[in-house]
Amino acid sequence: MSMQERKKRHDRMSSEEFRTSRSGWVFNAVEDVWLIREDVREFYFSFSDLYATLSNINSFKRVIIWYVENISAAGASNYFQEFKRFLNGLKKLGHERPDQIGLPEVLSYRSSLGRARLWQLGAVSRVLRKWHALGLPGVSEALVNMLAELTIPGNVKGNPIRTMDPIIGPLIDLEYDSVVSELRDRYDCGSLSTEDYVLALLIISLGPRPLQLAALKLKDLVVDKDSAGSDIYLLRVPRSKQPGYRLRSIFTDRLLHSELGRLVHKHANSVRRQYEGILEKPDEAPLFPARRSVSTSVGFEFHNSSNSISKQFTLIVEKLKLKSVRTGKLLRITPYRFRRTVGTRAAAEGLGELVIAAILDHSDTQNVGVYVENMPMFSERIDRAAAFHFAAVANAFKGKIISRLEASPSSMMEEIWSPRFSESGKSSGGCVENGSCLALAPIACYTCRRFRPFSDGPHHAILDHLLQEREALRGTDERMSKILDRTILAVAQVIQQCAPQGKVRDDSTDTL
């Protein structure tokens, strides 16, 4: 844009240079790029690269200002993005920048959308009608009259959930379990911070929106005692997307599992120490503080933005480098995939629409019905061939295979043996922590990083037992049958890792 054009724009808007959003954020409306913060959300508006004439950019700016001042920055951002998509669509269709947006442009764009994306015209229609209502130049009256009569279908929601989309839909149990297991192992090994672990577990367990986590303060964690004198942990989660209510004006109390509660409490105490002497009331500090200095809204000092929370979680999980058993590629994980996963798992447990709506912080049930429909679930029959097919991708085995010679008496390793799997007394492996846990050995050992399976252990017999048990549960307790899947894949992975070296054989003397 030339200096002369910039001066013209400045002259037109100089009397309205600084504007205030409905939430109280002051911004310079003359600039080509706006940053508007609303509670813990950041919204960027860049007008410099719009495919439009200078006059229409000025008119569009005033439309967006109206939405920012009268509705919300979030709503204005949605309208901005959809209208930018419309302008880019006109460019792809070969239209010149029109002096006046009329029927030819909109009808051409509408034809390019097709039935599945026709809903995108809805936001464009609202922008153009508001444009005309404000008396701004650039929109034809004939177009506005047509839009007033036009019926535009809404967006069909729930397809990723309904189809169990392997890229953006809910995770299946094997994928879910692999994420949880790998996070726990990373934390136990010290390669994952308490803050990152707590953030990940809250998203996985509760399915909140990033906005809700960004708004949390230390005072939202309530620690109490039950009748037996044990600690109970309650997290007061701010509700979001509630018409007529500002963020942190209403809350939903979520009871945390004791293990998660203790971790959140530990993290909260660490953050509290950081803000002693900085804040008059340290409990007003955010549960997940910003890692850099940012401009914030009143009442949300030091808070992370919701976008930063989302990116932080995605980065945490990307570092795990987990693969999907459905695609064979790296899992694509976002907070919203886990929202869908939480809803889907709740439906699988038999919970109704009202409960699922409460869990996901919906005001009504109109968007949760998809969870309780008879959707196609991933129910691959795990037989011996399938177990070996999925084993390497699932990577459920976390230990290390050793020979019996390595398990010398000086190693202080407790050998693990069960007569169910070896009549000859051959042990499956050893535990580097002397088998001090109370898990069901040797079956539970295969997914534990402390397990050291022997290269000549009766792993085939254990795999056959698990496959038979899973098959027996099919049709009677599908949920329990799926719980076995991760262990089945871990045992198959052990067999695979031993087989190339000829270390494991199908020993006919080892019977069930």
Side-chain angles (χ1 to χ4, degrees), residues 455-471:
S455 55
D456 63 345
H459 310 302
H460 281 290
I462 293 173
L463 177 60
D464 289 339
H465 167 77
L466 290 171
L467 290 170
Q468 290 176 18
E469 187 173 348
R470 190 190 193 283
E471 188 63 25

Side-chain angles (χ1 to χ4, degrees), residues 9 140 148 232 431:
R9 179 182 296 187
S140 75
I232 56 174
C431 177

Side-chain angles (χ1 to χ4, degrees), residues 206-221:
L206 306 183
R209 299 179 181 92
L211 169 62
Q212 294 172 279
L213 292 177
L216 282 170
K217 295 181 180 289
L218 299 184
K219 65 181 181 180
D220 296 328
L221 178 65

Side-chain angles (χ1 to χ4, degrees), residues 223-290:
V223 184
D224 206 343
K225 299 284 185 182
D226 62 16
S227 57
S230 300
D231 287 336
I232 56 174
Y233 302 90
L234 198 70
L235 189 63
R236 302 182 68 244
V237 181
R239 300 200 65 188
S240 63
K241 300 181 72 172
Q242 305 301 311
Y245 292 94
R246 290 200 170 188
L247 191 62
R248 291 196 58 82
S249 61
I250 51 176
F251 297 80
T252 297
D253 292 341
R254 301 296 299 272
L255 183 65
L256 303 180
H257 182 275
S258 58
E259 180 182 353
L260 175 56
R262 284 191 291 270
L263 283 168
V264 177
H265 194 210
K266 175 184 177 180
H267 169 63
N269 285 337
S270 175
V271 174
R272 185 177 290 104
R273 287 191 292 270
Q274 294 176 35
Y275 284 90
E276 288 175 351
I278 297 176
L279 290 175
E280 183 179 348
K281 297 179 179 179
D283 274 357
E284 292 290 337
L287 185 61
F288 299 105

Side-chain angles (χ1 to χ4, degrees), residues 63-90:
V63 174
I64 296 301
I65 287 172
W66 187 91
Y67 281 114
V68 169
E69 292 181 334
N70 294 278
I71 306 300
S72 67
S77 178
N78 289 335
Y79 286 124
F80 179 89
Q81 296 300 332
E82 287 301 328
F83 198 75
K84 182 178 180 179
R85 195 204 307 265
F86 163 67
L87 295 175
N88 289 338
L90 295 183

Side-chain angles (χ1 to χ4, degrees), residues 295-319:
S295 299
T296 57
S297 300
V298 176
F300 294 97
E301 291 78 10
F302 304 104
H303 279 254
N304 239 327
S305 70
S306 55
N307 285 340
S308 295
I309 290 289
S310 184
K311 290 176 182 176
Q312 182 179 345
F313 172 74
T314 301
L315 185 61
I316 292 167
V317 183
E318 280 181 350
K319 288 180 180 179

Side-chain angles (χ1 to χ4, degrees), residues 105-152:
E105 290 78 22
V106 172
L107 292 177
S108 176
Y109 180 67
R110 180 192 183 197
S111 298
S112 72
L113 292 176
R115 186 184 299 271
R117 296 191 298 129
L118 197 56
W119 61 270
Q120 293 177 1
L121 191 59
V124 175
S125 173
R126 285 188 285 275
V127 167
L128 292 172
R129 284 184 289 159
K130 177 57 66 178
W131 188 321
H132 184 263
L134 293 174
L136 302 169
V139 177
S140 75
E141 182 130 6
L143 172 61
V144 173
N145 292 335
M146 186 273 287
L147 291 175
E149 299 295 327
L150 186 64
T151 300
I152 301 173

